[in-house]
Amino acid sequence: MSENPEEKLIAVARHIAKTLGHTDNALTDDILQIFSNFDNRFREKLTGTLSVTETLDQTLKTIDRRVSRYLTVDEPIWSNSGDASLFLAVVDDLIAVIREGSVTADDSAVIVLDRAEDLLQQCMFRLEEEFKRLIQRGGVEFEFSDDVAGGDNGGCADSDSDEDNRFDDGFDDRSDEFNVPVAHPVTDYNVTIDSLPSSTINDLHQISQRMVTAGYGKECSLAYSNCRRDFIEESLSRLGFLGLQNVSKPLVDDDNDIEIEKWIKAVNMAVRVIYPSEQRLCDRVFGCSTSAAAAAADLSFMDTCRVSVMELLNFANGIAMGSRAPERLFKILDVYEAVKALLPEFEVLFSGHYCLFLKNEAVGVWKRLGESIRGIFVELENLIQRDPVKAAVPGGGLHPITRYVMNYLRAACSRPTLKQVFDDYVEQSSTSSSLSVQIAWIMDVLENNLESKSKAYRDPALSSVFMMNNGRYIVKKVKDDELGSLLGDDWIRKQTSGVRQHHVNYQRSSWHKILNTLKLDNNNSSSSSNLASKALKDKLKLFNSQFIEICRNQSTWVIFDEQLRDELKISVAGTLLPAYRNFLGRFHNLQDIGKYADKHVKFTIEDVEARIDGLFQATAVAGNGRK
């Protein structure tokens, strides 16, 4: 029976392979490769004559020759798509050989596997170079339009407060109303940045796949982030945010509204456009088909964005860590609102394992801004409490501290975010207070401070006028305002009742004595006519001097509120005029002086009424028409 031709060919091939296999001749592997190309069955039967280590060694030599020219060539491999495909194919073979050899080879194959790992490392170095070159070559120039970046609509309006408006230097009432700074929202962020062409992204994906599979995912991520980080920094620079040099120290008393405006533009553009686009690019470059690829994408995204995210958050943190002077409230609120609005985006963008600390840092900055805002109100309490009495306000008029605090609180409470700051904290801490409670405390401190200041007046009536003026001003500012909603109707009624009590105190201390002078003694009717006449003439004389003195003093007193001024005049006239009219009637009825009454009576009823109407004439000057 004749021998099978195929078996005869295999026997010859085995003899050749066995002979050559004991030499260092590269022809051995070439012959094996030729037979393998002819029919893979030959490869299987031929290698059966060699040990696993010998087979691994021969295969590695073949791969080494195939890959060596790609490792030494100066030109970019990816300048030719054919070369790129061949290089990736031989890298795939090398990875497969190492993986198979690590499972099947015995201890004698350690040296061969070490050579394979060295060769793989060289391939990875070359892939890393190609990866970087592709990213740097593939960048696309783009510009942010004003509409997308926020234009002139972002940022803060100028606040009306300045360094001269600090409590410890006294209250400055040059400006009655606070201009409320508002960071105008930017809503059109429907932009995606494809900063690399699709073909480049596909090439990068092919490289990253090999590097991640070979265990070089971190090196690939580092190469990616080193190249892409500059793109992020340049993007923020184009938006006018200069970076770390602006946040090297806390912004304490000289917050720059322009810098805050730039920051608001930059952080919105970064978190809503730049970072999502970068995350999309990371996912396309690395893919998420395996856990290793997903981890590499997350690491790349984190390392690319980390520096710029921290710069942006450090700016906000610098605002939070600055002084707690009341005039800084509105700037901090602008920054707080920007961070709070972006927290959902931070949650989505930075929820991965490597990125989680960035999300946590954003939450921490948001909380510190809230603490700073709440701390400002505590400081406001302290500043009011410590505000010295100094000289009394002329004429019992409105004190600058009242004007300042009430307009400040009205401006602050017009920002809905302020209530949220306190409400959010109440949910987290059982020891915290709501905004309404905090405002009520401030009002109590203000009232106590005004009570102390009222004692600077020697005249109790003027002290009551001072308290009436400031109390009425407080009520007017609270009514029909968010401030009134926070304090509640009961508080307003109580404050209004306090103003009425000061009104009563004013009349008692100012006009009670003169009314006693006009009081008629019924016992005088049994006295002699001469005694009665003398007593009435003495009373009239005393009344004249007291009335002149009161009118002279109170014509220089201040009642800023027109309605309150009219109420006081009506009240005084309603009490004094009937008593004076009754007194004059008795005076004219005396027989011995009745016909000479005009000689003793200096003021007619009309004169007294006119004098009362002339009270509080300093209002227009001292109040200056401001509310």
Side-chain angles (χ1 to χ4, degrees), residues 400-446:
I401 191 174
T402 308
R403 190 189 304 275
Y404 185 96
V405 171
M406 296 311 300
N407 286 294
Y408 180 90
L409 292 178
R410 275 173 62 97
C413 292
S414 69
R415 300 282 289 264
T417 305
L418 185 62
K419 188 174 184 298
Q420 296 172 14
V421 172
F422 283 85
D423 289 346
D424 289 341
Y425 195 63
V426 167
E427 294 177 4
Q428 304 167 25
S429 173
S430 59
T431 60
S432 61
S433 60
S434 64
L435 178 60
S436 58
V437 172
Q438 185 68 57
I439 296 296
W441 286 344
I442 290 174
M443 298 308 298
D444 285 344
V445 172
L446 176 61

Side-chain angles (χ1 to χ4, degrees), residues 543-600:
F543 167 82
N544 291 337
S545 63
Q546 289 177 340
F547 185 66
I548 291 171
E549 181 68 19
I550 289 176
C551 291
R552 185 176 67 250
N553 289 337
Q554 296 194 15
S555 65
T556 62
W557 290 4
V558 176
I559 298 294
F560 85 95
D561 182 72
E562 184 176 352
Q563 182 181 349
L564 178 61
R565 188 165 60 248
D566 290 342
E567 288 173 1
L568 284 176
K569 290 179 181 180
I570 292 171
S571 176
V572 170
T575 304
L576 182 62
L577 290 178
Y580 188 58
R581 185 178 290 108
N582 188 39
F583 180 89
L584 289 183
R586 174 71 67 85
F587 192 83
H588 281 93
N589 286 335
L590 288 176
Q591 294 180 357
D592 57 335
I593 60 172
K595 57 183 177 181
Y596 305 108
D598 292 341
K599 191 168 101 173
H600 299 283

Side-chain angles (χ1 to χ4, degrees), residues 1-290:
M1 184 174 178
S2 62
E3 189 176 4
N4 189 320
E6 183 178 309
E7 293 294 332
K8 184 181 291 187
L9 179 59
I10 291 173
V12 173
R14 281 177 176 171
H15 177 71
I16 295 172
K18 185 176 182 180
T19 302
L20 294 176
H22 294 290
T23 70
D24 199 25
N25 196 329
L27 288 174
T28 303
D29 196 69
D30 288 341
I31 292 174
L32 291 174
Q33 187 66 39
I34 290 170
F35 280 118
S36 296
N37 292 338
F38 176 71
D39 190 331
N40 196 53
R41 290 174 298 167
F42 286 109
R43 177 81 182 190
E44 295 174 359
K45 293 180 180 181
L46 287 171
T47 55
T49 64
L50 302 176
S51 68
V52 173
T53 301
E54 289 174 327
T55 302
L56 183 63
D57 182 61
Q58 294 300 332
T59 304
L60 183 60
K61 287 178 180 177
T62 301
I63 293 175
D64 194 356
R65 285 198 307 277
R66 289 168 61 197
V67 82
S68 60
R69 71 185 186 91
Y70 295 112
L71 298 179
T72 57
V73 68
D74 292 333
E75 294 78 14
I77 299 174
W78 259 257
S79 61
N80 183 297
S81 59
D83 285 340
S85 298
L86 290 174
F87 183 54
L88 291 175
V90 73
V91 169
D92 288 339
D93 290 343
L94 178 57
I95 293 172
V97 165
I98 293 174
R99 183 178 296 165
E100 183 179 351
S102 300
V103 175
T104 61
D106 53 24
D107 293 342
S108 62
V110 172
I111 296 176
V112 179
L113 286 174
D114 286 345
R115 281 173 40 221
E117 292 287 355
D118 289 341
L119 184 59
L120 180 64
Q121 187 178 56
Q122 295 176 51
C123 292
M124 293 297 111
F125 286 161
R126 186 57 195 256
L127 280 178
E128 185 178 337
E129 291 177 5
E130 296 292 327
F131 190 85
K132 292 178 181 177
R133 189 178 288 117
L134 283 170
I135 295 178
Q136 293 165 348
R137 185 191 71 188
V140 177
E141 289 292 323
F142 70 95
E143 294 288 343
F144 296 116
S145 68
D146 282 344
D147 289 340
V148 174
D152 294 329
N153 291 327
C156 315
D158 290 336
S159 172
D160 204 25
S161 58
D162 54 34
E163 285 299 316
D164 294 331
N165 210 7
R166 300 293 293 277
F167 280 38
D168 49 5
D169 292 328
F171 288 82
D172 185 351
D173 61 347
R174 291 172 298 171
S175 174
D176 192 61
E177 296 289 349
F178 268 81
N179 290 330
V180 184
V182 176
H184 302 285
V186 182
T187 56
D188 185 12
Y189 291 100
N190 188 22
V191 179
T192 299
I193 302 171
D194 282 325
S195 53
L196 296 176
S198 295
S199 59
T200 301
I201 295 173
N202 183 62
D203 290 338
L204 292 171
H205 177 63
Q206 294 298 322
I207 294 174
S208 72
Q209 270 190 318
R210 272 69 182 188
M211 294 188 71
V212 170
T213 302
Y216 285 78
K218 287 188 176 180
E219 287 78 2
C220 187
S221 293
L222 183 62
Y224 177 93
S225 59
N226 283 341
C227 295
R228 293 295 299 167
R229 194 179 298 120
D230 291 341
F231 170 82
I232 301 292
E233 292 294 319
E234 176 64 21
S235 299
L236 293 176
S237 178
R238 292 184 187 189
L239 290 170
F241 183 73
L242 302 180
L244 285 174
Q245 62 266 38
N246 289 331
V247 292
S248 57
K249 64 184 181 66
L251 304 179
V252 182
D253 295 322
D254 55 344
D255 304 349
N256 189 322
D257 287 339
I258 301 301
E259 288 302 309
I260 292 177
E261 178 182 346
K262 290 178 181 178
W263 177 83
I264 290 174
K265 286 183 184 179
V267 74
N268 276 283
M269 191 66 190
V271 177
R272 293 181 173 173
V273 177
I274 298 175
Y275 296 151
S277 297
E278 193 65 31
Q279 188 179 56
R280 178 171 172 266
L281 179 60
C282 280
D283 290 342
R284 292 177 66 189
V285 168
F286 291 92
C288 298
S289 56
T290 65

Side-chain angles (χ1 to χ4, degrees), residues 270-330:
V271 177
R272 293 181 173 173
V273 177
I274 298 175
Y275 296 151
S277 297
E278 193 65 31
Q279 188 179 56
R280 178 171 172 266
L281 179 60
C282 280
D283 290 342
R284 292 177 66 189
V285 168
F286 291 92
C288 298
S289 56
T290 65
S291 58
D298 186 37
L299 177 61
S300 301
F301 178 60
M302 179 279 294
D303 206 29
T304 300
C305 301
R306 173 176 52 84
V307 173
S308 60
V309 171
M310 292 307 298
E311 285 185 15
L312 290 166
L313 293 178
N314 282 344
F315 182 94
N317 197 56
I319 297 293
M321 299 303 289
S323 78
R324 295 184 174 181
E327 58 266 26
R328 297 189 69 243
L329 172 68
F330 303 100

